Amino acid sequence: EEAVGDSICIAFIKLPNKSSNESNNLRGVSDDKLSNVFMVVGTSKGHLIIWQVVDNTKPLSPEQERKLRIKIKRSGGLVPTNYGPIRLRAVQSIEAHDGLVTDILYAGGTMIATCGKDGLVSFWDFQNSGRKSQDLLRLLRSVQLLGSIPGLGAPRSIAYSSVKDAWIVGSTGCAIC
């Protein structure tokens, strides 16, 4: 199988909680607190790899936490934490762009946007139905920006303003649209 490329950008997604009568499990995950947390990685070859957080380690003991804080402080930053590393499991890989994925944005709810060197800005709906055969990302719409306006360039970054309900895209041509 061909490699999907190097990791370029990452977004964490926390899906809204489901009603109590619905299954909150996906592909056999049983931890209700974390089964709706995902990490989406964009790659240099245009793939989106979806990882699911399956659990994190038990809280650290006071001695383990003290040692971790010393290690973090020595490395230049104090990050308060009382949990160890999380475990991730790859659940899907899809071809999203023709070439480099330049940015991924989680806009809340189930909405994700991606942009790539191919000039596309794509909008996705994240599906967490619990059915193994269903894809987790459903493409809603793609917009071609590259070549639409002279000098615009390919989209490099994407942001969302909930105040204006507007998507903002920065391009390689130093333009914002």
Side-chain angles (χ1 to χ4, degrees):
E1 186 175 313
E2 187 177 323
V4 295
D6 297 328
S7 299
I8 300 298
C9 49
I10 297 173
F12 280 92
I13 289 98
K14 185 174 190 304
L15 296 175
N17 289 329
K18 295 183 172 194
S19 65
S20 58
N21 60 355
E22 288 184 63
S23 169
N24 200 22
N25 296 337
L26 178 70
R27 305 183 203 301
V29 176
S30 61
D31 188 336
D32 288 338
K33 295 177 186 173
L34 297 170
S35 64
N36 61 342
V37 178
F38 297 85
M39 179 177 75
V40 181
V41 177
T43 74
S44 60
K45 292 190 177 180
H47 285 79
L48 295 177
I49 304 171
I50 303 169
W51 298 82
Q52 184 174 25
V53 177
V54 291
D55 72 3
N56 58 341
T57 59
K58 294 179 181 177
L60 300 175
S61 70
E63 179 61 20
Q64 290 171 321
E65 185 174 349
R66 185 186 71 75
K67 287 178 181 178
L68 179 62
R69 286 179 183 269
I70 290 169
K71 190 182 290 186
I72 292 170
K73 191 172 184 178
R74 286 182 182 159
S75 69
L78 180 59
V79 180
T81 181
N82 62 349
Y83 289 93
I86 59 173
R87 284 190 328 147
L88 300 169
R89 178 179 44 162
V91 291
Q92 185 180 0
S93 175
I94 63 169
E95 291 183 47
H97 291 274
D98 186 16
L100 181 77
V101 177
T102 55
D103 201 8
I104 302 171
L105 177 73
Y106 171 54
T110 61
M111 176 66 74
I112 298 170
T114 62
C115 57
K117 194 172 181 179
D118 58 2
L120 290 176
V121 176
S122 298
F123 301 93
W124 307 83
D125 183 35
F126 204 98
Q127 305 286 315
N128 185 7
S129 70
R131 294 193 342 232
K132 292 181 182 183
S133 61
Q134 184 179 8
D135 288 341
L136 294 174
L137 285 180
R138 180 173 61 97
L139 180 63
L140 298 173
R141 182 177 186 186
S142 289
V143 178
Q144 179 59 259
L145 291 184
L146 187 62
S148 61
I149 299 171
L152 184 62
R156 177 177 285 168
S157 59
I158 189 163
Y160 175 74
S161 169
S162 60
V163 174
K164 297 284 187 180
D165 192 26
W167 294 93
I168 303 156
V169 179
S171 78
T172 57
C174 298
I176 297 177
C177 52

